[in-house]
Amino acid sequence: MLFHKLFSSTLGIGYIKGGGSVAAAVCGVCWYFAWRGGYPPVALSVAISVLITAIGVWSSSMMEPVWGKDPSKVVIDEVSGMCISLLFLPVNVTYLLCGFILFRFFDILKPLYIRKMELLPAGWGIMADDVLAGVYTNILLQTVVWFKFF
């Protein structure tokens, strides 16, 4: 059970106030330092994102009976969504900040069927809304890169 507490709370970040935003920001900082100045390796970044998401579904499913429905302590969903937000993009401060802002916008307001994802059972519902928020963020950022807006 300790593994699930640590993983789902992203090493305890979920225990602090505003843990979701903090977890997304920490993820962005880690992403930056891992691959700054270029593009992350596609296979590795996809594998990391899928692995975080898959283990996140499992761990958050294990913690939901203990912490309650969609508990605020579970912030691995924000890490997963932030990873998805940054896939296939150049790694620089501008895109990371835009990715963070857009991801939190989608995650907090939950437009465009994001809220419906929360209706999925257990860990799937906890993770799926953030995954979709990450997908929407990534699509917008890919458009920015494609059209060279900045």
Side-chain angles (χ1 to χ4, degrees):
M1 193 59 89
L2 178 61
F3 169 79
H4 296 297
K5 283 182 180 178
L6 287 173
F7 192 84
S8 65
S9 71
T10 310
L11 302 176
I13 292 174
Y15 288 93
I16 63 175
K17 186 170 175 69
S21 293
V22 173
V26 167
C27 176
V29 169
C30 291
W31 196 273
Y32 176 79
F33 283 113
W35 294 303
R36 68 179 171 258
Y39 285 84
V42 172
L44 183 58
S45 60
V46 169
I48 289 169
S49 299
V50 168
L51 191 63
I52 287 171
T53 303
I55 298 173
V57 169
W58 177 44
S59 282
S60 58
S61 290
M62 297 298 289
M63 295 314 302
E64 193 177 55
V66 176
W67 287 338
K69 179 90 172 125
D70 200 0
S72 60
K73 291 177 189 171
V74 173
V75 294
I76 195 63
D77 52 336
E78 275 81 10
V79 173
S80 170
M82 192 67 186
C83 287
I84 292 166
S85 296
L86 302 174
L87 285 174
F88 320 116
L89 292 166
V91 180
N92 62 45
V93 173
T94 302
Y95 292 126
L96 286 169
L97 285 175
C98 288
F100 175 78
I101 291 166
L102 285 169
F103 172 69
R104 293 307 292 156
F105 167 80
F106 285 120
D107 187 31
I108 292 167
L109 295 181
K110 301 190 184 312
L112 305 169
Y113 300 101
I114 293 173
R115 186 164 311 280
K116 293 226 185 251
M117 296 292 104
E118 293 179 323
L119 299 175
L120 294 169
W124 292 104
I126 293 170
M127 298 294 292
D129 65 313
D130 294 271
V131 168
L132 189 55
V135 169
Y136 288 155
T137 299
N138 191 278
I139 289 168
L140 287 175
L141 289 175
Q142 292 296 339
T143 304
V144 167
V145 170
W146 178 263
F147 288 107
K148 298 179 180 154
F149 289 136
F150 54 84

